[in-house]
């Protein structure tokens, strides 16, 4: 069973700061997902990646397969970025069976 | 497209009652999933389906049943509700064709068992 650890568990930032959330996993994967859960509870997929780096607006996700580690970066953070960020991995050929981290609670103050 | 829809949004059950959580997707996705999210805990997979007529257990299947008679619908059945099943339930779907694609989540069903 793949273990997924996220750090930090809680993160508070001032508007405009650069934010990094980390995710480590224990065994080989086919893909890693970053999800965002809004304060109202809805879950949105931000990125799915199996190698390298992806960018969408102010969000950047990177993965290092050899080190079994991924990072989610938010540049120029804004209060609307306040949410829970969740890392999840799909192992081997089990494409749909995701194992989730516990999430990182991000609060951005104006 | 409506995406993934779930009903009801909120329900209170008494111990021992049964209910069905409904999930429908209109994106013609082959894979569908049921997750539960307990307070302060990560999402856990209950059941999933790779296509109509095919279902399989996830990490925490006990106390639940599913069926997938059509591509669009994937209902989750609780037969004898227990307080341990108090949780938020999310349905999701994705299209998998040799590699994983993005999962789309429904808005969730909040269930309280008293």
């Amino acid at each position: 069973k793949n273990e997924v650890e996220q750090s930090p568990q809680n993160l508070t930032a001032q508007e405009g700061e650069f934010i990094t959330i980390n995710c480590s996993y224990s065994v080989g994967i086919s893909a890693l997902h970053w999800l965002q859960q809004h304060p109202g509870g809805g879950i949105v997929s931000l990125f799915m990646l199996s190698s390298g780096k992806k960018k969408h607006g102010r969000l950047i996700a990177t993965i290092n397969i050899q080190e079994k580690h991924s990072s989610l970066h938010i540049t120029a953070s804004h209060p609307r970025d306040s949410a829970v960020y969740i890392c999840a991995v799909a192992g081997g050929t089990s494409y749909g069976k995701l194992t989730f981290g516990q999430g990182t609670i991000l609060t951005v103050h104006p | 497209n409506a995406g993934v829809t779930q009903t009801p949004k909120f329900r209170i059950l008494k111990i021992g009652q049964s209910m069905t959580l409904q999930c429908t997707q209109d994106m013609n996705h082959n894979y569908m999933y049921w997750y539960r999210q307990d307070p302060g805990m990560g999402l856990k997979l209950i059941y999933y389906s790779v296509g109509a007529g095919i279902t399989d257990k996830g990490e925490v299947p006990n106390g639940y049943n599913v069926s997938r008679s059509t591509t669009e619908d994937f209902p989750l059945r609780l037969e004898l509700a227990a307080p341990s099943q108090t949780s938020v339930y999310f349905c999701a779907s994705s299209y998998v064709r040799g590699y994983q694609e993005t999962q789309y989540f429904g808005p969730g069903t909040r269930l309280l068992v008293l």
Side-chain angles (χ1 to χ4, degrees), chain B residues 59-93:
Chain B
E59 187 180 353
V60 289
N62 291 344
Y64 306 95
N65 279 299
V66 294
S67 59
R68 183 103 180 265
S69 56
T70 67
T71 298
E72 295 78 20
D73 300 305
F74 190 40
L76 177 72
R77 178 86 178 158
L78 282 70
E79 290 294 348
L80 291 169
S84 60
Q85 293 178 305
T86 292
S87 191
V88 181
Y89 292 84
F90 289 96
C91 178
S93 72

Side-chain angles (χ1 to χ4, degrees), chain A residues 50-92:
Chain A
S50 54
S51 64
K53 175 180 173 179
K54 287 191 176 180
K55 184 175 188 292
H56 181 70
R58 295 179 295 104
L59 274 61
I60 303 166
T62 64
I63 188 168
N64 185 317
I65 297 295
Q66 287 73 28
E67 294 186 4
K68 297 186 174 59
H69 180 269
S70 175
S71 294
L72 176 68
H73 305 286
I74 305 175
T75 61
S77 59
H78 189 276
R80 65 175 175 266
D81 297 325
S82 297
V84 178
Y85 292 84
I86 302 168
C87 172
V89 300

